[in-house]
Amino acid sequence: MVMIKNRVELETINPYVTAQRQVEAAARKLGIEEHVIEILKRPMRVLTVNFPVKMDDGTIQVFEGYRSQHNDVVGPTKGGIRFHPDVTLDEVKALSMWMSFKCGVVGLPYGGGKGGVICDPRKLSKSELERVSRGFIEAISQIIGPEKDIPAPDVYTNPQVMAWMMDSFSKLNGSYSPAVITGKPLILGGSEGRNEATARGCVITICEAMKQLNLPLEGATVAIQGFGNAGRISANLLAELGCKIVAVSDSKGAIYDPEGLDLAKVEQLKDEATILDYGTSYQIDPSSLLELNVDVLVPAALENVITQANADRIQAKIIAEAANGPTTPEADEILKANGVLVIPDILANAGGVTVSYFEWVQNLMNYYWSEEEVNEKLSTIMVRSYHEVSKLAEEYDTDLRTAAYMISILRIKKAMKLRGWI
Ligand code: NAD
């Protein structure tokens, strides 16, 4: 029953409207002019493509995909490509907006972009997945490039998909162009530390928040929704720091052990079949994972999972949004009133785009850094950004999300003014 209720909510909450409301709230707090808000509330360019793909059985299937570029005033746009059956144009537009503000929070010379293809990669063979990946990049090739718009992985896309996409673009372009896309395998110009970067950045912000709240990391209980790149690696890094991972979930279900899950076993089961094989007695309703009495909750799957329907039942002290857009504005209000510290997506998961930026810089220089160098640079940026946001939140007596947007909006506005756009 609860699953069905959540599904209905998912369909009725439009992430684009959420993103626009978040921008408006922060901009109004700063007294920003209406015309600036109007610019920031919309992507500057959106492309819809329909491209044919030959399936293994010889039939032709037409796939629909989108690329949204929100604002390129400080540099090329940047953001992942999502392959998912529920991708919508509004979702992609929202994600591109969040990317602009994310890059702004951590001070990267990028605007926001995002792409998506309506497909279920779990139902595609490897060769079909390759043809969908190449077909999409060919379809959007006119508007991407190392100095225009630089895609990256997102939900259900990975380094192999990035490699095919880079290859197609390089062939179209007539020259090897690793800087067109990030999140590539190491041998093709990927960066050390990129695979772990989103989770590492998220964990750094959790550590800073825990210090502020005087909560010890050792023994802190953590529930994680989503066990992919962001969720699984966050679980590992937090466990290394002494935290107790008590619950995890993926698209098939959730498991919970108040004594702490055996993470190595969960990983093995995930790789072999499903985390649910951990044991029936450990299985819980996936929506109840969000409401567990834990110190830290890490939503690391999809958007709109914390809404006004469940926000009041959230017991976590800290929510670190590894996922993009997991919390609706109504839920934010409830969480704030209940004293839950929300580390917003545009800060908590900015580690991914930060190391993507490092990857792009290394590709352009054709000179590569060690993992230690990458992690050290990432840590410097994440710690600095967390405290900039936290300080502004205190100054304006507001939450971290609004403060994070305020920092970004001021940066983008300044650049638009200097370039004569406004
Ligand atoms: P991924 O494809 O590696 O993993 C997604 C995980 O979510 C999978 O384990 C999947 O089973 C799970 N999932 C799907 N539907 C679910 C549901 N209804 N309930 C619970 N789990 C569910 O994707 P990812 O890269 O880890 O991305 C996860 C989130 O993090 C997304 O919101 C993405 O935009 C965000 N993010 C990722 C990166 C990155 O670098 N990978 C960077 C920034 C933000």
Side-chain angles (χ1 to χ4, degrees):
M1 282 302 285
V2 182
M3 290 281 290
I4 293 164
K5 200 176 100 200
N6 278 350
R7 182 77 210 126
V8 171
E9 277 165 11
L10 203 76
E11 278 163 6
T12 51
I13 299 166
N14 183 335
Y16 186 43
V17 174
T18 298
Q20 292 187 320
R21 287 175 61 186
Q22 289 165 340
V23 172
E24 269 182 5
R28 297 247 145 75
K29 203 146 184 101
L30 285 165
I32 297 274
E33 304 87 321
E34 270 319 299
H35 60 269
V36 177
I37 300 178
E38 286 309 308
I39 296 173
L40 297 177
K41 272 171 64 183
R42 294 175 176 78
M44 62 178 196
R45 186 178 298 112
V46 178
L47 180 64
T48 297
V49 294
N50 288 284
F51 54 100
V53 173
K54 192 175 269 180
M55 309 307 282
D56 290 347
D57 64 5
T59 58
I60 302 288
Q61 199 174 315
V62 178
F63 288 85
E64 181 159 322
Y66 315 104
R67 186 74 190 169
S68 170
Q69 299 171 342
H70 176 251
N71 185 301
D72 63 0
V73 72
V74 297
T77 47
K78 175 105 195 70
I81 294 173
R82 176 173 293 196
F83 284 179
H84 196 279
D86 297 336
V87 162
T88 65
L89 179 56
D90 273 357
E91 177 188 49
V92 171
K93 281 156 76 173
L95 288 162
S96 73
M97 282 175 73
W98 284 322
M99 283 306 295
S100 279
F101 299 109
K102 191 180 302 181
C103 293
V105 176
V106 286
L108 304 180
Y110 286 142
K114 206 76 180 192
V117 177
I118 304 171
C119 68
D120 191 345
R122 291 164 299 184
K123 292 187 182 147
L124 298 173
S125 70
K126 190 173 177 194
S127 53
E128 287 170 340
L129 181 65
E130 176 175 351
R131 290 194 290 277
V132 171
S133 306
R134 290 185 186 277
F136 180 60
I137 223 66
E138 284 167 19
I140 65 164
S141 63
Q142 295 295 315
I143 63 160
I144 62 166
E147 267 114 39
K148 287 191 206 170
D149 181 14
I150 306 133
D154 193 70
V155 175
Y156 295 148
T157 55
N158 57 25
Q160 174 61 79
V161 170
M162 298 304 111
W164 290 323
M165 290 179 167
M166 185 276 279
D167 182 70
S168 283
F169 185 86
S170 294
K171 283 172 177 157
L172 280 171
N173 207 31
S175 64
Y176 181 55
S177 312
V180 69
I181 209 154
T182 60
K184 302 177 295 290
L186 278 184
I187 186 96
L188 295 175
S191 177
E192 294 284 357
R194 172 61 186 91
N195 194 42
E196 300 78 19
T198 302
R200 192 174 291 282
C202 181
V203 169
I204 292 170
T205 63
I206 292 171
C207 292
E208 295 310 303
M210 300 276 282
K211 271 189 243 163
Q212 275 187 332
L213 298 184
N214 279 323
L215 291 171
L217 271 171
E218 189 66 41
T221 50
V222 182
I224 301 187
Q225 183 191 47
F227 206 61
N229 176 280
R232 181 172 174 161
I233 302 174
S234 292
N236 272 299
L237 294 173
L238 287 165
E240 275 171 29
L241 292 170
C243 298
K244 197 156 72 171
I245 312 301
V246 293
V248 301
S249 67
D250 67 8
S251 58
K252 296 198 182 109
I255 49 173
Y256 170 56
D257 180 353
E259 298 307 316
L261 295 164
D262 176 349
L263 210 50
K265 187 173 159 193
V266 178
E267 291 201 85
Q268 194 193 339
L269 294 171
K270 173 82 185 166
D271 291 338
E272 285 170 3
T274 164
I275 59 167
L276 299 181
D277 288 340
Y278 200 80
T280 359
S281 57
Y282 296 98
Q283 290 174 19
I284 54 165
D285 184 315
S287 58
S288 67
L289 175 139
L290 301 166
E291 300 163 18
L292 292 171
N293 187 4
V294 288
D295 294 310
V296 183
L297 171 65
V298 183
L302 299 170
E303 54 268 12
N304 293 334
V305 293
I306 303 174
T307 68
Q308 60 184 348
N310 61 2
D312 220 11
R313 295 196 297 273
I314 302 252
Q315 300 182 68
K317 298 182 182 76
I318 295 171
I319 298 177
E321 296 182 336
N324 285 309
T327 311
T328 64
E330 289 78 12
D332 257 334
E333 289 306 316
I334 298 168
L335 295 169
K336 198 165 137 188
N338 289 350
V340 180
L341 183 73
V342 179
I343 310 174
D345 46 8
I346 60 170
L347 172 64
N349 69 38
V353 70
T354 302
V355 177
S356 271
Y357 165 62
F358 296 161
E359 179 174 333
W360 178 77
V361 168
Q362 292 170 82
N363 293 154
L364 294 176
M365 292 189 301
N366 208 4
Y367 174 74
Y368 290 85
W369 306 335
S370 69
E371 190 175 352
E372 291 69 37
E373 281 174 280
V374 169
N375 288 347
E376 203 184 299
K377 287 180 167 67
L378 171 65
S379 179
T380 305
I381 289 179
M382 293 307 299
V383 172
R384 186 195 65 212
S385 303
Y386 181 88
H387 289 286
E388 276 175 7
V389 171
S390 175
K391 190 162 164 267
L392 199 73
E394 214 168 287
E395 248 172 63
Y396 278 81
D397 189 24
T398 190
D399 53 288
L400 295 185
R401 189 184 316 280
T402 307
Y405 273 99
M406 286 162 80
I407 286 179
S408 267
I409 288 170
L410 287 172
R411 282 185 178 147
I412 298 170
K413 185 190 163 186
K414 187 173 178 187
M416 292 201 296
K417 183 92 189 144
L418 286 166
R419 283 186 65 170
W421 291 13
I422 53 174

